[in-house]
């Protein structure tokens, strides 16, 4: 990716510099890019400047004349910020976000004529901490980073995918926004509900202090994300409500199966249930993959390119390369074997 | 603790040298104690000998003439091994176990006249791995290690508590067997059920591979213990069935509250629920504590000593010292402030 007009490295901006935006910012700077930061909180802007980062007081100064802008504010502010930044940024600027749901913002972008400029994104990384002070330039290394390709903005998708691969060393996962929301409901949002239910039950328990005293690995692991700032978790769940409730039903059904086997003293069924669970867990650690490759002429209808990309992501694959040469875009990827 | 007859350091044995027993064994050796190991599996005995440990082929040679024996085999074999070892070991030998439930084995010991020789125990540490090859002498450092004091065997309790504090640097938590089983149902067994339900639902999901591809912290953490060997998890749950099902109902109720708030788009209730959950989680990380101290004459009725100990554990406290001098046992401990 380059500055379209000069061939120089892209000039970037990050709007909203909490944990995720701050980590994007630090990584872009570490990679040597010219990057400007803006946050609505003056203290956060001052902290950024203390760290030697460019952080003007006005959002206009931060995003005007930039090649790519990462929108990293809280989920409820996202559509307003997108509208505001789209009005300030150059028409050829790539706009993207890092929100934990994608259907709502993608629908908004289409409805407001921004689908050609905005590429919905979601890096699958984070911690239970918050704020620029907790940010790290390495947060996304090796992490999945979902991007939602749209035929109207396929050029921006390619540019951004190349940047994420090169600068962030992320696994870029192309995915349809609706598929994304279903998948993260199960991979992230329902786990947050389980952690909240477990930690909440302990807080209300007559044996609370003894439970905390005996808490070992399974409890510490199972409740870690319950320490996430509560408003952040609430925003995420509410924005994906229907998918989360649907996937929670699926998890409850699996839990009921285990509980029924336990109630009936059915050791064989319990062992079989845990063996299935261990299969999924083992696949997480050591999934084999095969390389995939596809080329698309830049002057073809991008519908085929978008379909191939979304199928790759839905199959559990990700991109490892994206290169435009001689009127053709070539994608390299890995897919579960 | 010393060899009662000579004042020399205690001679120990470990029966069953998988992950937990192997870690007990390695720690005892590291501390310079004379320790013998026995496992029913000849290959495990050979592995122990390869590592320079004493591991005779017969259990009799391993446990005869020892001052303390740790019973660390699988839960279903525990009562048979206790009976067998009690018949071989010296009458003044301290017998203890490391099983993840305590009511059943404590009841067995009382019914079989072994309450004066056997101190039920449960170190709250472990990993999802198994076997002597995964053992580590540092597994228990700083971990909670539950011991169940019984008036009939209070002398053995004191001896063992002092050994665990000195050699293992564990937080010794005295607890009634019934209270222990209720507490670990919530701190450990229900988390194993939730992890199994989540991983099982993913394994059965049409979007399985995409979920695994996007799995970040909350999913990895929330399913880690689903990778535990399935028979080990099944034994643990079945042995504590009624308490596990009872505490699962409590967690389901807390989960239902969160799900209801989500279904109703009730942001305030959702935030409040997660703030309660974060309270418990924060207490886990940074609970303050106050020192406690109690002395008991050795010739008094031990019922008062046992009651004080069990109250300490039920309140979330643990022992930091146990010393017998001049006809008095003195306990130091820490209790949540």
């Amino acid at each position: 990716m380059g500055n379209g007009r000069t061939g120089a490295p892209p000039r970037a901006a990050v709007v909203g510099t909490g944990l995720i935006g701050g980590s994007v910012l630090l990584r872009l700077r570490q990679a040597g890019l010219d990057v400007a930061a803006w946050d609505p909180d003056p203290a956060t802007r001052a902290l950024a400047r203390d760290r030697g980062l460019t952080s003007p007081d006005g959002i206009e100064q931060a995003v005007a004349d930039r090649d790519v802008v990462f929108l990293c504010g809280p989920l409820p502010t996202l559509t307003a910020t997108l509208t505001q930044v789209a009005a300030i940024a150059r028409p050829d600027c790539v706009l993207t976000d890092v929100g934990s749901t994608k259907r709502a913002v993608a629908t908004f972008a289409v409805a407001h004529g921004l689908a050609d400029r905005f590429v919905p994104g979601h890096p699958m990384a984070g911690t239970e901490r918050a704020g620029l002070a907790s940010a790290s330039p390495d947060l996304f290394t090796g992490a999945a980073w979902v991007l939602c390709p749209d035929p109207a903005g396929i050029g921006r998708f390619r540019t951004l995918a190349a940047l994420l691969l090169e600068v962030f060393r992320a696994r870029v996962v192309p995915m349809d926004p609706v598929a994304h929301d279903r998948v993260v409901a199960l991979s992230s949002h329902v786990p947050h509900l389980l952690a909240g239910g477990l930690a909440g039950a302990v807080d209300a328990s007559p044996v609370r202090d003894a439970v905390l005293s005996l808490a070992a690995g399974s409890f510490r692991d199972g409740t870690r994300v319950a320490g996430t700032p509560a408003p952040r978790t609430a925003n995420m769940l509410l924005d994906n409500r229907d998918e989360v409730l649907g996937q929670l039903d699926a998890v409850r059904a699996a839990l009921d199966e285990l509980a029924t086997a336990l109630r009936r003293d059915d050791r064989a069924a319990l062992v079989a249930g845990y063996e299935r669970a261990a299969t999924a867990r083992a696949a997480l650690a050591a999934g084999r993959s095969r390389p995939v490759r596809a080329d698309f002429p830049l002057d073809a209808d991008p519908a085929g390119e978008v379909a191939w990309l979304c199928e790759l992501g839905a199959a559990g694959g990700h991109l490892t390369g994206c290169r435009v040469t001689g009127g053709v875009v070539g994608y390299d990827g890995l897919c579960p074997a």
Side-chain angles (χ1 to χ4, degrees), chain A residues 78-79 82 97 101-110 118 120-121 239:
Chain A
L78 183 56
T79 53
L82 173 57
D97 79 317
T101 64
K102 297 276 62 80
R103 190 188 47 76
V105 71
T107 304
F108 177 90
V110 169
F118 174 69
D239 216 56

Side-chain angles (χ1 to χ4, degrees), chain A residues 55-178:
Chain A
S55 192
D57 280 330
I59 188 170
E60 297 79 5
Q61 299 145 271
V63 306
D65 208 36
R66 296 280 151 177
D67 302 300
V68 56
V69 178
F70 292 85
L71 306 174
C72 304
L75 215 45
T77 67
L78 183 56
T79 53
T81 310
L82 173 57
T83 305
Q84 182 186 16
V85 170
I88 307 166
R90 286 203 322 266
D92 64 344
C93 175
V94 178
L95 307 175
T96 188
D97 79 317
V98 298
S100 51
T101 64
K102 297 276 62 80
R103 190 188 47 76
V105 71
T107 304
F108 177 90
V110 169
H112 292 75
L114 293 169
D116 59 333
R117 303 176 63 194
F118 174 69
V119 184
H122 181 202
M124 302 295 300
T127 77
E128 68 280 21
R129 298 186 303 277
L132 178 56
S134 300
S136 158
D138 301 317
L139 188 62
F140 309 111
T141 307
W145 192 317
V146 173
L147 290 181
C148 302
D150 185 288
I154 191 68
R156 316 267 170 129
F157 170 86
R158 295 173 197 138
T159 299
L160 189 58
L163 178 74
L164 297 183
L165 289 167
E166 188 183 341
V167 170
F168 291 89
R169 310 239 174 259
R171 294 183 286 118
V172 172
V173 180
M175 204 173 258
D176 172 82
V178 172

Side-chain angles (χ1 to χ4, degrees), chain A residues 34-46:
Chain A
D34 176 353
V35 58
W38 188 81
D39 193 279
D41 173 34
T44 300
R45 295 197 298 271

Side-chain angles (χ1 to χ4, degrees), chain A residues 59-336:
Chain A
I59 188 170
E60 297 79 5
Q61 299 145 271
V63 306
D65 208 36
R66 296 280 151 177
D67 302 300
V68 56
V69 178
F70 292 85
L71 306 174
C72 304
L75 215 45
T77 67
L78 183 56
T79 53
T81 310
L82 173 57
T83 305
Q84 182 186 16
V85 170
I88 307 166
R90 286 203 322 266
D92 64 344
C93 175
V94 178
L95 307 175
T96 188
D97 79 317
V98 298
S100 51
T101 64
K102 297 276 62 80
R103 190 188 47 76
V105 71
T107 304
F108 177 90
V110 169
H112 292 75
L114 293 169
D116 59 333
R117 303 176 63 194
F118 174 69
V119 184
H122 181 202
M124 302 295 300
T127 77
E128 68 280 21
R129 298 186 303 277
L132 178 56
S134 300
S136 158
D138 301 317
L139 188 62
F140 309 111
T141 307
W145 192 317
V146 173
L147 290 181
C148 302
D150 185 288
I154 191 68
R156 316 267 170 129
F157 170 86
R158 295 173 197 138
T159 299
L160 189 58
L163 178 74
L164 297 183
L165 289 167
E166 188 183 341
V167 170
F168 291 89
R169 310 239 174 259
R171 294 183 286 118
V172 172
V173 180
M175 204 173 258
D176 172 82
V178 172
H180 166 274
D181 284 9
R182 174 157 302 167
V183 168
V184 295
L186 193 47
S187 74
S188 167
H189 302 170
V190 169
H192 276 78
L193 273 180
L194 297 179
L198 178 57
V202 169
D203 197 57
S205 170
V207 293
R208 174 184 186 273
D209 288 344
V211 168
L212 295 175
S213 163
L214 297 195
S218 61
F219 184 81
R220 288 176 188 275
D221 288 352
T223 59
R224 189 184 57 81
V225 293
T228 304
R232 196 166 90 192
T233 305
N235 292 340
M236 180 180 83
L237 297 172
L238 288 166
D239 216 56
N240 199 22
R241 188 191 62 187
D242 295 347
E243 286 292 353
V244 173
L245 292 171
Q247 297 297 339
L248 178 61
D249 285 344
V251 172
R252 272 192 175 125
L255 189 57
D256 284 345
E257 262 188 61
L258 293 174
T260 299
L262 179 57
R263 187 170 293 111
R264 292 181 181 161
D265 266 332
D266 186 344
R267 192 173 189 286
L270 204 51
V271 169
Y274 272 97
E275 276 170 354
R276 283 192 299 273
T279 304
R281 177 69 201 178
L284 188 61
R288 279 178 308 166
S289 56
R290 59 184 171 83
V292 291
R293 161 99 205 170
D295 295 286
F296 301 94
L298 297 185
D299 58 7
D301 179 345
E305 182 177 344
V306 167
W308 182 84
L309 287 165
C310 289
E311 276 165 31
L312 175 66
H318 63 271
L319 296 176
T320 56
C322 169
R323 214 169 27 258
V324 174
T325 41
V328 169
V329 56
Y331 292 107
D332 286 295
L334 285 172
C335 205

